[in-house]
Amino acid sequence: ALGGVVPAGPNPDRWIGHLNQEQATAISLASGIDPSSLRAMTLEDYPSAAVGFDPISANPAASYPWRHIRASRFCPRCLADNGGRWKLSWRMVWFFACLEHCCLLAHECPKCGAAQRARPAVNSVPQPGRCSESVNPTRSSNPQRCCAELSTAPVLSLEKGSPIPPLQASINDLIINEQRAFGIYKQFPTPIEQILVDLRVLG
């Protein structure tokens, strides 16, 4: 429908990270969503160190184990609550817990075990909240999808007093709200990229 403006190759990072003017215009005309809203659905406004790759070039911007993994974690409980809507923050390796449901994020389909959102779902209409991984990859022209309900994926609930939620909250504030006023950074203003480097070292 988009006339090949959005690449359909195995690596979705180019258009998850950033839409150029031609792509944003084409998608806007096809979907009725204005270009500024479409760009807000990408990772282009986040620091490369947080995304794990440069949103413009799609080149890696961080090293293992904090690099981008070309897949996405997710919270099954959020998907159950919101009708399958995927959160942009789940695309970044720095987000590993859901503060709303106090659990770690899931990382694979409960039925086929596949990583999620690792590639575009070509040749089929994606179904929100369901696994789009092909279960018969040899039939590339008309693949059969797993379609398992991702809201049923098991997750580890976090006990009261766990140090993980406050850590995730601090990272949320740092990346999403650009709030650096925690720990030693209250006294020493520091760029987000350097704080993430410090956290990688501690990790």
Side-chain angles (χ1 to χ4, degrees):
L2 297 174
V5 172
V6 175
N11 181 2
D13 288 352
R14 288 277 182 170
W15 57 288
I16 290 172
H18 166 75
L19 294 173
N20 61 35
Q21 184 62 46
E22 182 185 15
Q23 292 167 344
T25 299
I27 297 173
S28 178
L29 290 172
S31 66
I33 301 173
D34 67 273
S36 61
S37 294
L38 290 169
R39 287 200 171 90
M41 298 178 194
T42 70
L43 295 165
E44 67 177 43
D45 288 334
Y46 295 97
S48 297
V51 174
F53 65 93
D54 186 310
I56 307 299
S57 68
N59 292 327
S63 58
Y64 180 86
W66 299 103
R67 61 180 173 79
H68 176 57
I69 55 175
R70 289 198 171 86
S72 180
R73 297 186 181 108
F74 60 96
C75 175
R77 298 168 187 175
C78 284
L79 294 177
D81 290 347
N82 66 26
R85 187 171 65 252
W86 214 263
K87 293 187 178 182
L88 190 59
S89 61
W90 296 342
R91 293 280 188 178
M92 290 179 272
V93 71
W94 291 98
F95 294 82
F96 43 81
C98 176
L99 298 180
E100 181 179 354
H101 296 103
C102 205
C103 65
L104 293 180
L105 298 181
H107 63 276
E108 63 183 21
C109 171
K111 182 179 179 181
C112 71
Q116 295 302 299
R117 304 295 176 101
R119 59 183 63 83
V122 296
N123 298 331
S124 65
V125 177
Q127 299 181 53
R130 291 183 177 271
C131 177
S132 61
E133 189 66 19
S134 174
V135 294
N136 59 341
T138 55
R139 297 180 58 192
S140 57
S141 60
N142 186 24
Q144 179 184 348
R145 302 295 174 181
C146 171
C147 291
E149 282 279 3
L150 297 176
S151 61
T152 64
V155 289
L156 179 65
S157 295
L158 300 172
E159 297 180 357
K160 186 177 181 180
S162 168
I164 293 178
L167 172 61
Q168 182 67 82
S170 294
I171 292 175
N172 288 8
D173 283 341
L174 176 66
I175 294 175
I176 296 176
N177 303 318
E178 299 186 9
Q179 298 293 324
R180 305 171 177 85
F182 65 92
I184 194 173
Y185 307 109
K186 290 181 180 179
Q187 298 173 274
F188 303 98
T190 306
I192 291 176
E193 290 80 3
Q194 183 58 52
I195 296 176
L196 292 177
V197 168
D198 295 347
L199 291 177
R200 279 203 300 272
V201 171
L202 291 173

